[in-house]
Amino acid sequence: MRFRVKAPASSANLGPGFDALGLALDLWNELEIDTNGIPGTVTVEGADGTLLADKQNYSLNAMQELSAAYGKRLPGFSMTIRANVPVARGLGSSAAALACGLVAANALAGLGLRDVELFLQAWQMEGHGDNVGAAFFGGAVLAVTGMSHAILLSNGDELGLMAVTFIPEATSATWAARAALPSNVPLPDAAFNVGVASGLTWGLATGNREAIAAGMRDRLHEPYRARLFPHLTPMTDAARQAGAVGASLSGAGPTILTLVEPENVDAVCQALHEVAVEHDVKGEVKPLKPTSSGVSIEHF
Ligand code: HSE
């Protein structure tokens, strides 16, 4: 058996949708598996490949965990990982790796699970459904605790917006960015987030720009994470001034996500670049397209 699985990068939260909203982006992690290859051989390609070695190999860990949970053994195989999604930047690299691993294990062990069942496994493994929802189904998704599937708000293309990102060179671990959050938040902040997240959800489902603009604001996690990422507030402010519809921290950071009308992409790129220079943050300004595609498998 020989096949390739690929899953997209994603941006979680989109501001106020902490652990709930995700948007799939056109940048892919890939796994190529060959049961006729030398068993146990793992080749990692990609700029951040070394960060995926050993214990960080989410795909392999997920494959073993899933097959063990169903009492199955995986056959021997060789594996090539193409890690195109920057690791530990808030772009869902682990969710993409998980999605690839689960879909691969499902095929290798003949489990016959549907994507939605694999998604729920991934949600359990990751602890939140935002990135894994986008990695499985593509588009803009809402993962509501207690529901048995993710809600597809938009296929991503139909939004007609570009995702202009600033991806710092420096990495940040999700656990550290979660540890920076308080265990309780003031009620007015929680109430603010309920309103804006509801508006954003509706804005993403309908494409309404005013709702997206008003909705991409947060008081639950960004104010605390701004202490870890001093570029966050200057970049989101500058992006909005340059014409971005909305701007937020991407997932647990340090990447910045902005949603931008195609005609304003150059101005927002320039604004992000200027703040990076001014604040001496090394990194790359990268326009990405939202994608409607989630994880997929191609047999050779
Ligand atoms: N919703 C998560 C967070 C995304 O903000 O911590 C990180 O995987």
Side-chain angles (χ1 to χ4, degrees), residues 26-59:
D26 190 17
L27 182 66
W28 302 82
N29 274 351
E30 286 182 15
L31 276 189
E32 206 167 299
I33 303 257
D34 187 352
T35 52
N36 293 319
I38 303 168
T41 317
V42 179
T43 311
V44 183
E45 298 170 1
D48 285 328
T50 50
L51 287 170
L52 287 172
D54 304 328
K55 292 202 179 69
Q56 292 290 334
N57 193 328
Y58 285 97
S59 297

PDB file of all heavy atoms in Angstrom, residues 26-59:
ATOM      1  N   ASP A  26      -4.050  27.787   2.946  1.00  0.00           N
ATOM      2  CA  ASP A  26      -3.495  27.034   1.828  1.00  0.00           C
ATOM      3  C   ASP A  26      -1.980  26.806   1.970  1.00  0.00           C
ATOM      4  O   ASP A  26      -1.177  27.356   1.211  1.00  0.00           O
ATOM      5  CB  ASP A  26      -3.808  27.815   0.532  1.00  0.00           C
ATOM      6  CG  ASP A  26      -3.480  27.005  -0.698  1.00  0.00           C
ATOM      7  OD1 ASP A  26      -3.328  25.786  -0.588  1.00  0.00           O
ATOM      8  OD2 ASP A  26      -3.368  27.613  -1.782  1.00  0.00           O
ATOM      9  N   LEU A  27      -1.624  26.010   2.956  1.00  0.00           N
ATOM     10  CA  LEU A  27      -0.230  25.663   3.249  1.00  0.00           C
ATOM     11  C   LEU A  27      -0.336  24.283   3.899  1.00  0.00           C
ATOM     12  O   LEU A  27      -1.178  24.116   4.796  1.00  0.00           O
ATOM     13  CB  LEU A  27       0.334  26.702   4.239  1.00  0.00           C
ATOM     14  CG  LEU A  27       1.768  26.603   4.666  1.00  0.00           C
ATOM     15  CD1 LEU A  27       2.693  26.860   3.470  1.00  0.00           C
ATOM     16  CD2 LEU A  27       2.069  27.651   5.746  1.00  0.00           C
ATOM     17  N   TRP A  28       0.497  23.301   3.478  1.00  0.00           N
ATOM     18  CA  TRP A  28       0.134  21.911   3.762  1.00  0.00           C
ATOM     19  C   TRP A  28       1.240  21.107   4.417  1.00  0.00           C
ATOM     20  O   TRP A  28       2.400  21.208   4.036  1.00  0.00           O
ATOM     21  CB  TRP A  28      -0.276  21.231   2.445  1.00  0.00           C
ATOM     22  CG  TRP A  28      -1.409  21.955   1.788  1.00  0.00           C
ATOM     23  CD1 TRP A  28      -1.315  23.075   1.002  1.00  0.00           C
ATOM     24  CD2 TRP A  28      -2.797  21.674   1.925  1.00  0.00           C
ATOM     25  NE1 TRP A  28      -2.573  23.494   0.625  1.00  0.00           N
ATOM     26  CE2 TRP A  28      -3.501  22.642   1.165  1.00  0.00           C
ATOM     27  CE3 TRP A  28      -3.528  20.684   2.591  1.00  0.00           C
ATOM     28  CZ2 TRP A  28      -4.889  22.650   1.080  1.00  0.00           C
ATOM     29  CZ3 TRP A  28      -4.906  20.689   2.490  1.00  0.00           C
ATOM     30  CH2 TRP A  28      -5.573  21.663   1.747  1.00  0.00           C
ATOM     31  N   ASN A  29       0.851  20.281   5.381  1.00  0.00           N
ATOM     32  CA  ASN A  29       1.726  19.212   5.859  1.00  0.00           C
ATOM     33  C   ASN A  29       1.337  17.942   5.124  1.00  0.00           C
ATOM     34  O   ASN A  29       0.144  17.693   4.902  1.00  0.00           O
ATOM     35  CB  ASN A  29       1.559  18.985   7.373  1.00  0.00           C
ATOM     36  CG  ASN A  29       2.448  19.911   8.182  1.00  0.00           C
ATOM     37  OD1 ASN A  29       3.303  20.602   7.633  1.00  0.00           O
ATOM     38  ND2 ASN A  29       2.253  19.934   9.491  1.00  0.00           N
ATOM     39  N   GLU A  30       2.354  17.164   4.746  1.00  0.00           N
ATOM     40  CA  GLU A  30       2.081  15.936   3.993  1.00  0.00           C
ATOM     41  C   GLU A  30       2.789  14.748   4.620  1.00  0.00           C
ATOM     42  O   GLU A  30       3.890  14.900   5.174  1.00  0.00           O
ATOM     43  CB  GLU A  30       2.644  16.063   2.561  1.00  0.00           C
ATOM     44  CG  GLU A  30       1.846  16.952   1.659  1.00  0.00           C
ATOM     45  CD  GLU A  30       2.435  16.981   0.244  1.00  0.00           C
ATOM     46  OE1 GLU A  30       3.271  16.101  -0.105  1.00  0.00           O
ATOM     47  OE2 GLU A  30       2.067  17.897  -0.495  1.00  0.00           O
ATOM     48  N   LEU A  31       2.171  13.588   4.486  1.00  0.00           N
ATOM     49  CA  LEU A  31       2.785  12.318   4.900  1.00  0.00           C
ATOM     50  C   LEU A  31       2.736  11.395   3.703  1.00  0.00           C
ATOM     51  O   LEU A  31       1.683  11.269   3.081  1.00  0.00           O
ATOM     52  CB  LEU A  31       1.921  11.615   5.940  1.00  0.00           C
ATOM     53  CG  LEU A  31       1.980  11.912   7.401  1.00  0.00           C
ATOM     54  CD1 LEU A  31       1.149  10.867   8.139  1.00  0.00           C
ATOM     55  CD2 LEU A  31       3.396  11.886   7.876  1.00  0.00           C
ATOM     56  N   GLU A  32       3.846  10.757   3.380  1.00  0.00           N
ATOM     57  CA  GLU A  32       3.802   9.741   2.335  1.00  0.00           C
ATOM     58  C   GLU A  32       4.179   8.415   2.985  1.00  0.00           C
ATOM     59  O   GLU A  32       5.208   8.336   3.672  1.00  0.00           O
ATOM     60  CB  GLU A  32       4.785  10.104   1.223  1.00  0.00           C
ATOM     61  CG  GLU A  32       4.378   9.505  -0.088  1.00  0.00           C
ATOM     62  CD  GLU A  32       5.159  10.111  -1.241  1.00  0.00           C
ATOM     63  OE1 GLU A  32       5.052  11.345  -1.453  1.00  0.00           O
ATOM     64  OE2 GLU A  32       5.881   9.352  -1.899  1.00  0.00           O
ATOM     65  N   ILE A  33       3.350   7.419   2.806  1.00  0.00           N
ATOM     66  CA  ILE A  33       3.518   6.139   3.493  1.00  0.00           C
ATOM     67  C   ILE A  33       3.650   5.040   2.458  1.00  0.00           C
ATOM     68  O   ILE A  33       2.900   5.020   1.477  1.00  0.00           O
ATOM     69  CB  ILE A  33       2.270   5.845   4.362  1.00  0.00           C
ATOM     70  CG1 ILE A  33       2.040   6.974   5.354  1.00  0.00           C
ATOM     71  CG2 ILE A  33       2.334   4.462   4.992  1.00  0.00           C
ATOM     72  CD1 ILE A  33       2.436   6.748   6.747  1.00  0.00           C
ATOM     73  N   ASP A  34       4.600   4.125   2.694  1.00  0.00           N
ATOM     74  CA  ASP A  34       4.811   3.016   1.760  1.00  0.00           C
ATOM     75  C   ASP A  34       5.022   1.743   2.566  1.00  0.00           C
ATOM     76  O   ASP A  34       6.022   1.620   3.293  1.00  0.00           O
ATOM     77  CB  ASP A  34       6.048   3.334   0.901  1.00  0.00           C
ATOM     78  CG  ASP A  34       6.239   2.323  -0.210  1.00  0.00           C
ATOM     79  OD1 ASP A  34       5.506   1.303  -0.219  1.00  0.00           O
ATOM     80  OD2 ASP A  34       7.114   2.558  -1.068  1.00  0.00           O
ATOM     81  N   THR A  35       4.090   0.788   2.447  1.00  0.00           N
ATOM     82  CA  THR A  35       4.240  -0.454   3.225  1.00  0.00           C
ATOM     83  C   THR A  35       5.289  -1.370   2.603  1.00  0.00           C
ATOM     84  O   THR A  35       5.649  -2.378   3.200  1.00  0.00           O
ATOM     85  CB  THR A  35       2.892  -1.205   3.339  1.00  0.00           C
ATOM     86  OG1 THR A  35       2.351  -1.353   2.034  1.00  0.00           O
ATOM     87  CG2 THR A  35       1.913  -0.466   4.219  1.00  0.00           C
ATOM     88  N   ASN A  36       5.773  -0.999   1.402  1.00  0.00           N
ATOM     89  CA  ASN A  36       6.883  -1.773   0.813  1.00  0.00           C
ATOM     90  C   ASN A  36       8.234  -1.122   1.090  1.00  0.00           C
ATOM     91  O   ASN A  36       9.264  -1.623   0.654  1.00  0.00           O
ATOM     92  CB  ASN A  36       6.704  -1.893  -0.711  1.00  0.00           C
ATOM     93  CG  ASN A  36       5.496  -2.742  -1.042  1.00  0.00           C
ATOM     94  OD1 ASN A  36       5.268  -3.758  -0.393  1.00  0.00           O
ATOM     95  ND2 ASN A  36       4.707  -2.306  -2.003  1.00  0.00           N
ATOM     96  N   GLY A  37       8.231   0.020   1.799  1.00  0.00           N
ATOM     97  CA  GLY A  37       9.492   0.693   2.130  1.00  0.00           C
ATOM     98  C   GLY A  37      10.180   0.003   3.302  1.00  0.00           C
ATOM     99  O   GLY A  37       9.662  -0.976   3.853  1.00  0.00           O
ATOM    100  N   ILE A  38      11.352   0.520   3.695  1.00  0.00           N
ATOM    101  CA  ILE A  38      12.072  -0.082   4.833  1.00  0.00           C
ATOM    102  C   ILE A  38      11.315   0.263   6.111  1.00  0.00           C
ATOM    103  O   ILE A  38      11.171   1.450   6.452  1.00  0.00           O
ATOM    104  CB  ILE A  38      13.529   0.446   4.893  1.00  0.00           C
ATOM    105  CG1 ILE A  38      14.255   0.153   3.588  1.00  0.00           C
ATOM    106  CG2 ILE A  38      14.279  -0.144   6.082  1.00  0.00           C
ATOM    107  CD1 ILE A  38      15.583   0.874   3.444  1.00  0.00           C
ATOM    108  N   PRO A  39      10.800  -0.764   6.817  1.00  0.00           N
ATOM    109  CA  PRO A  39       9.955  -0.477   7.984  1.00  0.00           C
ATOM    110  C   PRO A  39      10.674   0.397   9.015  1.00  0.00           C
ATOM    111  O   PRO A  39      11.857   0.196   9.279  1.00  0.00           O
ATOM    112  CB  PRO A  39       9.667  -1.864   8.569  1.00  0.00           C
ATOM    113  CG  PRO A  39       9.893  -2.810   7.450  1.00  0.00           C
ATOM    114  CD  PRO A  39      10.961  -2.199   6.585  1.00  0.00           C
ATOM    115  N   GLY A  40       9.971   1.360   9.529  1.00  0.00           N
ATOM    116  CA  GLY A  40      10.521   2.211  10.592  1.00  0.00           C
ATOM    117  C   GLY A  40      11.327   3.390  10.088  1.00  0.00           C
ATOM    118  O   GLY A  40      11.813   4.199  10.873  1.00  0.00           O
ATOM    119  N   THR A  41      11.495   3.513   8.756  1.00  0.00           N
ATOM    120  CA  THR A  41      12.266   4.640   8.228  1.00  0.00           C
ATOM    121  C   THR A  41      11.381   5.887   8.211  1.00  0.00           C
ATOM    122  O   THR A  41      10.292   5.873   7.635  1.00  0.00           O
ATOM    123  CB  THR A  41      12.699   4.380   6.763  1.00  0.00           C
ATOM    124  OG1 THR A  41      13.145   3.062   6.674  1.00  0.00           O
ATOM    125  CG2 THR A  41      13.774   5.344   6.318  1.00  0.00           C
ATOM    126  N   VAL A  42      11.865   6.954   8.844  1.00  0.00           N
ATOM    127  CA  VAL A  42      11.107   8.223   8.838  1.00  0.00           C
ATOM    128  C   VAL A  42      12.018   9.307   8.272  1.00  0.00           C
ATOM    129  O   VAL A  42      13.104   9.548   8.798  1.00  0.00           O
ATOM    130  CB  VAL A  42      10.645   8.627  10.253  1.00  0.00           C
ATOM    131  CG1 VAL A  42       9.888   9.959  10.207  1.00  0.00           C
ATOM    132  CG2 VAL A  42       9.776   7.549  10.880  1.00  0.00           C
ATOM    133  N   THR A  43      11.608   9.906   7.176  1.00  0.00           N
ATOM    134  CA  THR A  43      12.370  11.010   6.589  1.00  0.00           C
ATOM    135  C   THR A  43      11.553  12.272   6.781  1.00  0.00           C
ATOM    136  O   THR A  43      10.355  12.287   6.479  1.00  0.00           O
ATOM    137  CB  THR A  43      12.559  10.775   5.073  1.00  0.00           C
ATOM    138  OG1 THR A  43      13.037   9.449   4.899  1.00  0.00           O
ATOM    139  CG2 THR A  43      13.533  11.756   4.466  1.00  0.00           C
ATOM    140  N   VAL A  44      12.180  13.306   7.329  1.00  0.00           N
ATOM    141  CA  VAL A  44      11.456  14.564   7.542  1.00  0.00           C
ATOM    142  C   VAL A  44      12.042  15.627   6.634  1.00  0.00           C
ATOM    143  O   VAL A  44      13.239  15.888   6.662  1.00  0.00           O
ATOM    144  CB  VAL A  44      11.539  15.029   9.021  1.00  0.00           C
ATOM    145  CG1 VAL A  44      10.718  16.298   9.216  1.00  0.00           C
ATOM    146  CG2 VAL A  44      11.058  13.944   9.968  1.00  0.00           C
ATOM    147  N   GLU A  45      11.178  16.222   5.796  1.00  0.00           N
ATOM    148  CA  GLU A  45      11.600  17.318   4.920  1.00  0.00           C
ATOM    149  C   GLU A  45      10.842  18.567   5.324  1.00  0.00           C
ATOM    150  O   GLU A  45       9.735  18.473   5.830  1.00  0.00           O
ATOM    151  CB  GLU A  45      11.256  16.997   3.454  1.00  0.00           C
ATOM    152  CG  GLU A  45      11.956  15.757   2.925  1.00  0.00           C
ATOM    153  CD  GLU A  45      11.410  15.338   1.557  1.00  0.00           C
ATOM    154  OE1 GLU A  45      10.514  16.026   1.028  1.00  0.00           O
ATOM    155  OE2 GLU A  45      11.880  14.317   1.050  1.00  0.00           O
ATOM    156  N   GLY A  46      11.448  19.733   5.081  1.00  0.00           N
ATOM    157  CA  GLY A  46      10.748  20.980   5.401  1.00  0.00           C
ATOM    158  C   GLY A  46      11.588  21.827   6.321  1.00  0.00           C
ATOM    159  O   GLY A  46      12.413  21.309   7.087  1.00  0.00           O
ATOM    160  N   ALA A  47      11.338  23.127   6.246  1.00  0.00           N
ATOM    161  CA  ALA A  47      12.170  24.091   6.960  1.00  0.00           C
ATOM    162  C   ALA A  47      12.251  23.795   8.452  1.00  0.00           C
ATOM    163  O   ALA A  47      13.297  23.953   9.079  1.00  0.00           O
ATOM    164  CB  ALA A  47      11.609  25.488   6.748  1.00  0.00           C
ATOM    165  N   ASP A  48      11.135  23.353   9.043  1.00  0.00           N
ATOM    166  CA  ASP A  48      11.109  23.121  10.482  1.00  0.00           C
ATOM    167  C   ASP A  48      11.172  21.642  10.815  1.00  0.00           C
ATOM    168  O   ASP A  48      10.778  21.225  11.890  1.00  0.00           O
ATOM    169  CB  ASP A  48       9.827  23.706  11.074  1.00  0.00           C
ATOM    170  CG  ASP A  48       9.899  25.221  11.155  1.00  0.00           C
ATOM    171  OD1 ASP A  48      11.007  25.744  11.356  1.00  0.00           O
ATOM    172  OD2 ASP A  48       8.857  25.869  11.005  1.00  0.00           O
ATOM    173  N   GLY A  49      11.667  20.858   9.866  1.00  0.00           N
ATOM    174  CA  GLY A  49      11.642  19.414  10.017  1.00  0.00           C
ATOM    175  C   GLY A  49      12.247  18.902  11.306  1.00  0.00           C
ATOM    176  O   GLY A  49      11.695  18.014  11.950  1.00  0.00           O
ATOM    177  N   THR A  50      13.371  19.481  11.701  1.00  0.00           N
ATOM    178  CA  THR A  50      14.042  18.941  12.887  1.00  0.00           C
ATOM    179  C   THR A  50      13.182  19.102  14.138  1.00  0.00           C
ATOM    180  O   THR A  50      13.287  18.323  15.072  1.00  0.00           O
ATOM    181  CB  THR A  50      15.394  19.651  13.127  1.00  0.00           C
ATOM    182  OG1 THR A  50      15.139  21.058  13.092  1.00  0.00           O
ATOM    183  CG2 THR A  50      16.417  19.289  12.085  1.00  0.00           C
ATOM    184  N   LEU A  51      12.304  20.106  14.123  1.00  0.00           N
ATOM    185  CA  LEU A  51      11.433  20.293  15.292  1.00  0.00           C
ATOM    186  C   LEU A  51      10.414  19.161  15.419  1.00  0.00           C
ATOM    187  O   LEU A  51       9.748  19.025  16.434  1.00  0.00           O
ATOM    188  CB  LEU A  51      10.676  21.624  15.183  1.00  0.00           C
ATOM    189  CG  LEU A  51      11.507  22.875  15.420  1.00  0.00           C
ATOM    190  CD1 LEU A  51      10.705  24.110  15.035  1.00  0.00           C
ATOM    191  CD2 LEU A  51      11.919  22.976  16.875  1.00  0.00           C
ATOM    192  N   LEU A  52      10.295  18.366  14.358  1.00  0.00           N
ATOM    193  CA  LEU A  52       9.305  17.284  14.384  1.00  0.00           C
ATOM    194  C   LEU A  52       9.924  15.942  14.770  1.00  0.00           C
ATOM    195  O   LEU A  52       9.248  14.927  14.765  1.00  0.00           O
ATOM    196  CB  LEU A  52       8.646  17.139  13.008  1.00  0.00           C
ATOM    197  CG  LEU A  52       7.659  18.230  12.646  1.00  0.00           C
ATOM    198  CD1 LEU A  52       7.222  18.081  11.205  1.00  0.00           C
ATOM    199  CD2 LEU A  52       6.450  18.154  13.547  1.00  0.00           C
ATOM    200  N   ALA A  53      11.192  15.943  15.078  1.00  0.00           N
ATOM    201  CA  ALA A  53      11.861  14.674  15.354  1.00  0.00           C
ATOM    202  C   ALA A  53      11.336  14.050  16.651  1.00  0.00           C
ATOM    203  O   ALA A  53      10.778  14.717  17.509  1.00  0.00           O
ATOM    204  CB  ALA A  53      13.362  14.904  15.457  1.00  0.00           C
ATOM    205  N   ASP A  54      11.523  12.762  16.773  1.00  0.00           N
ATOM    206  CA  ASP A  54      11.246  11.984  17.991  1.00  0.00           C
ATOM    207  C   ASP A  54       9.884  12.265  18.601  1.00  0.00           C
ATOM    208  O   ASP A  54       8.875  12.088  17.984  1.00  0.00           O
ATOM    209  CB  ASP A  54      12.359  12.223  19.029  1.00  0.00           C
ATOM    210  CG  ASP A  54      13.712  11.883  18.434  1.00  0.00           C
ATOM    211  OD1 ASP A  54      13.750  10.986  17.591  1.00  0.00           O
ATOM    212  OD2 ASP A  54      14.697  12.533  18.785  1.00  0.00           O
ATOM    213  N   LYS A  55       9.905  12.755  19.848  1.00  0.00           N
ATOM    214  CA  LYS A  55       8.657  12.875  20.602  1.00  0.00           C
ATOM    215  C   LYS A  55       7.709  13.896  19.987  1.00  0.00           C
ATOM    216  O   LYS A  55       6.511  13.866  20.227  1.00  0.00           O
ATOM    217  CB  LYS A  55       8.959  13.288  22.051  1.00  0.00           C
ATOM    218  CG  LYS A  55       9.678  12.221  22.847  1.00  0.00           C
ATOM    219  CD  LYS A  55       9.446  12.463  24.330  1.00  0.00           C
ATOM    220  CE  LYS A  55      10.120  11.408  25.185  1.00  0.00           C
ATOM    221  NZ  LYS A  55      11.589  11.498  25.155  1.00  0.00           N
ATOM    222  N   GLN A  56       8.275  14.827  19.207  1.00  0.00           N
ATOM    223  CA  GLN A  56       7.439  15.841  18.586  1.00  0.00           C
ATOM    224  C   GLN A  56       6.745  15.323  17.329  1.00  0.00           C
ATOM    225  O   GLN A  56       6.072  16.069  16.653  1.00  0.00           O
ATOM    226  CB  GLN A  56       8.300  17.058  18.206  1.00  0.00           C
ATOM    227  CG  GLN A  56       8.842  17.819  19.380  1.00  0.00           C
ATOM    228  CD  GLN A  56       7.751  18.572  20.127  1.00  0.00           C
ATOM    229  OE1 GLN A  56       6.729  18.927  19.556  1.00  0.00           O
ATOM    230  NE2 GLN A  56       7.942  18.790  21.411  1.00  0.00           N
ATOM    231  N   ASN A  57       6.988  14.038  17.022  1.00  0.00           N
ATOM    232  CA  ASN A  57       6.389  13.520  15.800  1.00  0.00           C
ATOM    233  C   ASN A  57       4.911  13.189  16.031  1.00  0.00           C
ATOM    234  O   ASN A  57       4.533  12.056  16.295  1.00  0.00           O
ATOM    235  CB  ASN A  57       7.157  12.294  15.308  1.00  0.00           C
ATOM    236  CG  ASN A  57       6.755  11.956  13.898  1.00  0.00           C
ATOM    237  OD1 ASN A  57       5.610  12.178  13.514  1.00  0.00           O
ATOM    238  ND2 ASN A  57       7.685  11.455  13.128  1.00  0.00           N
ATOM    239  N   TYR A  58       4.099  14.228  15.909  1.00  0.00           N
ATOM    240  CA  TYR A  58       2.676  14.097  16.216  1.00  0.00           C
ATOM    241  C   TYR A  58       1.998  13.062  15.330  1.00  0.00           C
ATOM    242  O   TYR A  58       1.103  12.350  15.775  1.00  0.00           O
ATOM    243  CB  TYR A  58       1.976  15.448  16.023  1.00  0.00           C
ATOM    244  CG  TYR A  58       2.250  16.433  17.110  1.00  0.00           C
ATOM    245  CD1 TYR A  58       3.229  17.396  16.968  1.00  0.00           C
ATOM    246  CD2 TYR A  58       1.513  16.404  18.278  1.00  0.00           C
ATOM    247  CE1 TYR A  58       3.485  18.314  17.955  1.00  0.00           C
ATOM    248  CE2 TYR A  58       1.759  17.319  19.287  1.00  0.00           C
ATOM    249  CZ  TYR A  58       2.750  18.274  19.119  1.00  0.00           C
ATOM    250  OH  TYR A  58       2.993  19.176  20.109  1.00  0.00           O
ATOM    251  N   SER A  59       2.416  13.004  14.073  1.00  0.00           N
ATOM    252  CA  SER A  59       1.748  12.089  13.142  1.00  0.00           C
ATOM    253  C   SER A  59       1.935  10.647  13.598  1.00  0.00           C
ATOM    254  O   SER A  59       0.972   9.888  13.721  1.00  0.00           O
ATOM    255  CB  SER A  59       2.311  12.251  11.731  1.00  0.00           C
ATOM    256  OG  SER A  59       2.058  13.539  11.261  1.00  0.00           O
TER     257      SER A  59
END
